[in-house]
Amino acid sequence: MPRMARVVLPHMPHHVVQRGHNRQVVFAGAEDYERYLEDLRELSSALEIRVYAYCLMTNHVHLLLGPGEEVAAMGRLMKALAARATRYRNRLEGRSGTLWEGRYKSSPVQTETYLLACTRYIELNPVRARMVPAAGDYAWSSYRQRMGEEDCWIDPDPAYLALADHEAKRRARYARFVERGVPEQELKLMREALQRGQLTGNPRFVDEVEQIIGVRVERRRPGRPSSRRG
């Protein structure tokens, strides 16, 4: 059965996941994480792709990316990130072969309804995995940047900016939003959207995307997102 073609849309956020080959460890120590983030920052800038959120887990990465007019740039970014990490790991361990699964997963995200929820989903990954008790305790996600606890190079997304007129209020509201956790229905929606290469959004969003790409997209019954006002 042929796999579904990846849907990538210009000027729209995309939830992207890439896993280690056979779920193998891809980040063994702090230097591995730091190198990947340096590469992400450098390559995304060169390819004019916005980075709204990220979370690097032991054997996979979650990214929230916004390609510009040239949608193929997102694929080039993921290929380059994987190639650099693989070369580094192979050189370090004196090995050869692939480090990552050959095909990353992605899902366009409806901005006004699910974007902030998707950011929360990404930044709470280490909490759901019981690696840390709170999002701010994890060093390798964008949460600390968003809260002003680290130098910030991620791009502010429109849903986050809409939380308040001042940064201090945005951070406080977003922190409360994250503390509430991800509702089970929302969690299921985002996982299935990635697994099937579908859209993270409501039926109206699906209709709009179908009109843009001229291809029917399988419909799902979306969960009701939590209010982005936190």
Side-chain angles (χ1 to χ4, degrees), residues 189-208:
L189 168 74
M190 295 187 187
R191 285 174 172 169
E192 289 184 353
L194 276 171
Q195 187 63 33
R196 299 177 183 178
Q198 294 179 340
L199 310 176
T200 304
N202 61 28
R204 178 177 60 81
F205 178 61
V206 174
D207 289 339
E208 292 172 353

Side-chain angles (χ1 to χ4, degrees), residues 73-186:
M74 195 171 84
R76 291 201 295 272
L77 171 66
M78 298 308 298
K79 183 177 180 180
L81 285 170
R84 288 190 181 190
T86 298
R87 286 196 299 269
Y88 165 71
R89 174 60 56 191
N90 286 352
R91 184 170 62 249
L92 192 67
E93 298 182 354
R95 47 162 279 182
S96 61
T98 184
L99 183 65
W100 304 88
E101 285 184 349
R103 181 174 167 85
Y104 65 87
K105 293 180 169 61
S106 67
S107 171
V109 180
Q110 185 176 18
T111 299
E112 67 272 20
T113 308
Y114 284 98
L115 181 54
L116 203 68
C118 189
T119 300
R120 175 173 66 178
Y121 171 92
I122 289 171
E123 294 179 345
L124 278 176
N125 260 273
V127 178
R128 286 195 300 275
R130 302 183 186 278
M131 298 170 72
V132 292
D137 297 324
Y138 193 69
W140 311 114
S141 85
S142 47
Y143 184 84
R144 290 186 182 181
Q145 287 193 46
R146 201 177 309 282
M147 292 294 104
E149 298 170 7
E150 295 180 356
D151 290 341
C152 185
W153 54 264
I154 59 172
D155 296 284
D157 68 72
Y160 176 76
L161 292 175
L163 286 173
D165 295 331
H166 303 286
E167 186 61 26
K169 288 184 178 180
R170 289 188 197 110
R171 288 172 178 164
R173 289 179 177 177
Y174 182 71
R176 290 196 299 271
F177 182 66
V178 169
E179 286 171 3
R180 287 159 50 185
V182 183
E184 187 61 34
Q185 197 171 10
E186 196 172 281

